[in-house]
Amino acid sequence: MSAARSPVGVASIATLALLQACSTPRALSPVVTSPLQTSWESPASSSSAVTFSYSASAPEAARAAWWQVFQDPTLDQLMRLGLEQNLDLKLAQARIAQARAQQRAAAAQLLPSITASAEDEYTHNPTVPAGFPQTTLLGALNASWTVDLFGQLRNAKRAADASTRASEFDRDNSVVALLSEIATNYLQYRLYQLEYVISQRNAASQEQTVRITQLRFDQGAASRLEVEQLVSQLAITRAALPQALEQADTARQTLILLLASTPERLAKELPASVPDNPQLPMADAQVVLRTPLQVIAERPDVRAAEQRLRSAGATLRSTEAERYPQLSLSALVGQEATNWSAIGRGSSRAWSYGELLTMPIFEFGRIQAAIDQADAQQRQAYLSYEQTVRSALESTQSAIVLYTQGWARSQQLEQALKSAHIAATLARRQYQDGALALLNVLDTERTEYSTELSWAEAAATASIRLVTLYQAMGALPPKALPPVADDTKYWPNFADSRLR
């Protein structure tokens, strides 16, 4: 028998982490510390100032409310609202409810079925002269039970159980993606507000330079060319203001959509106007990494793929059981009489029981075709699981490299910004004293402006990449936070005539 038809579990975490073999899948083993996998292989480790380390508490740190490292109360509030109100999470919760109903239905197949029946039959038989017309009254309780001799029903239940768990992990994966999307859009929202203030501040500084140059031109100490150059540069800086407002509003509207809210309800957290001194949330490097084994064991998408593999294996075994005999038991107890007056008498008491054994003989390949289909589905589930594991490792490795390099770039640009501020201040002072040409002032102001924008973008990018790193590790919110909404009051009453 091929490996795809063997009892289904999941290949051990270490085997799949190294991805060196494709053997028969086995159940996931508990997460253990492996000396062979204590760090990620990262080219950034030799050139970046960011240092990561592992500890036994790293998974617990990643499970904490990771967005609190930004120390932004508004972000904390948006995350809470997202977990309570997001429609994608409500949809995922509805899918879980559907899967649980199917799970209960599969479990009920293992139990006897009891029904009640009542019958009033009138018979006219001309071949029996003394026997017609005839009335038959029957009231009974009927019981039937399919004895699961070869595990067909038990494996169907196991498949339903695994499908339910897969739906739950899908919901968790939606939570991870939602938190990452909220944090990313919020950081972008703050970035564009900061870019607006930077452009506004530089425009004000350039306006002052224009006024000074205009005075010097009126006094004959400056040329018309110098005035027009400064006016042109001022107009270019002002042109960045509406673009920044547009981008900030786009991020704001995306957040409102993710939170299933309205601009009025979020006016306090996400104002349409730009504050005077917007702050860009930033976080220092944290000990947040998990080992590759922990990533595979904890990421919801990996665990969902594992459960689908289990479900496919159980479905295959359930389908294979159709080859073998099936035993059904039935019983009846009740009253049977020819007239209503006899109902309830001891002479009208009726009962029966029976056994039925069936076995397929000629079914022209129907069962084998179903087995082949289930076998192919199991192979697909295994390949999907392996692909999910590879993707989890690759995305985490990439997120580490991107974050470390982004953090290093933001640190360098921060130092460059300090020097640019000093250079621009000195250039304006020397120009006012007549010791420096206007061209030098323009160059230093352009450098200051572009460096400040580059720093803001780099700092925001580093923070966004940290969010992406948390997402790659599958970091879920702590249990202390509100659970994913499962509010039945949310659902409309479709029997309401107003909805028809």
Side-chain angles (χ1 to χ4, degrees):
M1 183 177 293
S2 64
R5 296 187 186 179
S6 61
V8 178
V10 178
S12 65
I13 297 175
T15 302
L16 280 175
L18 297 175
L19 296 171
Q20 293 177 338
C22 293
S23 59
T24 303
R26 301 192 302 276
L28 277 173
S29 59
V31 177
V32 295
T33 301
S34 171
L36 298 177
Q37 293 180 317
T38 56
S39 63
W40 293 84
E41 182 181 2
S42 172
S45 60
S46 60
S47 59
S48 173
V50 183
T51 302
F52 295 106
S53 62
Y54 297 100
S55 67
S57 62
E60 285 70 21
R63 290 192 190 98
W66 52 264
W67 54 89
Q68 293 180 357
V69 300
F70 295 107
Q71 299 180 359
D72 190 312
T74 300
L75 179 58
D76 297 343
Q77 174 69 1
L78 295 180
M79 291 297 202
R80 185 186 66 80
L81 292 175
L83 291 172
E84 292 178 353
Q85 300 176 180
N86 181 260
L87 296 182
D88 287 336
L89 297 192
K90 291 180 182 289
L91 180 61
Q93 194 68 34
R95 292 195 184 101
I96 293 176
Q98 177 186 357
R100 287 174 178 170
Q102 294 172 344
Q103 182 183 16
R104 293 194 302 272
Q109 296 294 321
L110 292 166
L111 304 175
S113 174
I114 300 176
T115 60
S117 62
E119 181 181 356
D120 181 1
E121 183 181 27
Y122 178 82
T123 304
H124 181 82
N125 190 349
T127 62
V128 184
F132 69 91
Q134 183 176 358
T135 300
T136 302
L137 303 173
L138 175 64
L141 292 176
N142 308 276
S144 61
W145 182 34
T146 300
V147 182
D148 192 26
L149 296 176
F150 297 98
Q152 180 181 3
L153 300 180
R154 291 193 300 275
N155 282 299
K157 180 182 180 299
R158 293 188 184 104
D161 293 343
S163 294
T164 299
R165 289 192 293 270
S167 297
E168 293 170 349
F169 288 129
D170 284 339
R171 185 270 314 276
D172 291 344
N173 194 45
S174 297
V175 171
V176 171
L178 171 67
L179 296 177
S180 174
E181 197 167 357
I182 291 175
T184 298
N185 280 277
Y186 179 73
L187 290 168
Q188 291 175 341
Y189 170 71
R190 291 304 187 195
L191 167 64
Y192 299 138
Q193 286 186 332
L194 180 59
E195 288 182 344
Y196 178 87
V197 171
I198 291 174
S199 298
Q200 194 176 49
R201 185 171 59 246
N202 277 273
S205 177
Q206 291 171 10
E207 286 176 359
Q208 182 179 2
T209 305
V210 168
R211 285 194 297 269
I212 295 173
T213 306
Q214 184 65 46
L215 289 175
R216 296 186 62 189
F217 172 74
D218 295 339
Q219 297 171 1
S223 66
R224 183 60 179 267
L225 175 61
E226 293 176 330
V227 174
E228 296 301 330
Q229 285 177 327
L230 287 172
V231 170
S232 174
Q233 181 169 314
L234 175 60
I236 293 174
T237 303
R238 286 174 174 172
L241 296 176
Q243 181 181 10
L245 285 178
E246 173 187 328
Q247 293 173 322
D249 188 70
T250 299
R252 174 173 169 268
Q253 295 298 330
T254 301
L255 286 169
I256 292 172
L257 176 62
L258 290 173
L259 273 55
S261 187
T262 62
E264 293 75 19
R265 292 180 179 178
L266 295 176
K268 179 180 178 181
E269 293 82 5
L270 301 173
S273 59
V274 179
D276 295 334
N277 187 27
Q279 298 297 319
L280 183 62
M282 291 182 290
D284 295 330
Q286 302 288 323
V287 183
V288 297
L289 295 187
R290 297 170 177 172
T291 66
L293 292 179
Q294 290 164 343
V295 168
I296 295 173
E298 297 295 332
R299 272 185 52 140
D301 57 341
V302 174
R303 301 183 74 180
E306 173 204 348
Q307 294 303 323
R308 289 193 172 89
L309 178 56
R310 293 181 185 274
S311 178
T315 299
L316 174 59
R317 293 193 295 274
S318 177
T319 306
E320 288 176 334
E322 294 183 16
R323 295 172 170 174
Y324 309 121
Q326 295 183 359
L327 176 63
S328 299
L329 305 179
S330 62
L332 178 147
V333 60
Q335 296 280 321
E336 184 175 9
T338 58
N339 56 75
W340 288 101
S341 61
I343 294 294
R345 297 178 182 177
S347 59
S348 63
R349 184 179 301 164
W351 61 272
S352 68
Y353 72 89
E355 305 87 14
L356 176 64
L357 185 66
T358 60
M359 181 176 180
I361 298 178
F362 297 110
E363 34 78 29
F364 302 100
R366 178 188 62 81
I367 295 179
Q368 185 59 48
I371 292 174
D372 292 341
Q373 179 181 358
D375 180 67
Q377 290 174 344
Q378 186 196 37
R379 290 198 300 271
Q380 294 173 36
Y382 183 80
L383 293 173
S384 177
Y385 177 74
E386 181 178 343
Q387 180 66 23
T388 304
V389 170
R390 290 179 180 273
S391 177
L393 297 174
E394 183 277 331
S395 62
T396 305
Q397 171 68 23
S398 297
I400 294 170
V401 175
L402 289 174
Y403 173 62
T404 54
Q405 297 303 315
W407 185 88
R409 181 172 182 268
S410 68
Q411 296 300 302
Q412 293 298 321
L413 284 172
E414 183 177 4
Q415 181 61 41
L417 179 59
K418 294 178 182 178
S419 299
H421 280 323
I422 296 173
T425 301
L426 293 174
R428 295 188 192 100
R429 187 179 304 164
Q430 292 179 16
Y431 175 70
Q432 294 175 15
D433 296 338
L436 193 67
L438 178 63
L439 182 60
N440 299 109
V441 177
L442 294 175
D443 287 341
T444 55
E445 286 186 341
R446 279 194 293 264
T447 300
E448 178 190 30
Y449 179 42
S450 62
T451 303
E452 191 166 11
L453 289 178
S454 297
W455 167 81
E457 181 180 357
T461 298
S463 295
I464 290 173
R465 288 177 176 180
L466 180 59
V467 171
T468 303
L469 178 57
Y470 275 111
Q471 181 184 13
M473 293 187 300
L476 286 165
K479 295 181 180 179
L481 288 177
V484 175
D486 187 16
D487 187 3
T488 55
K489 295 180 181 179
Y490 168 79
W491 307 110
N493 180 8
F494 290 99
D496 194 331
S497 59
R498 292 173 297 179
L499 298 176
R500 294 177 181 173

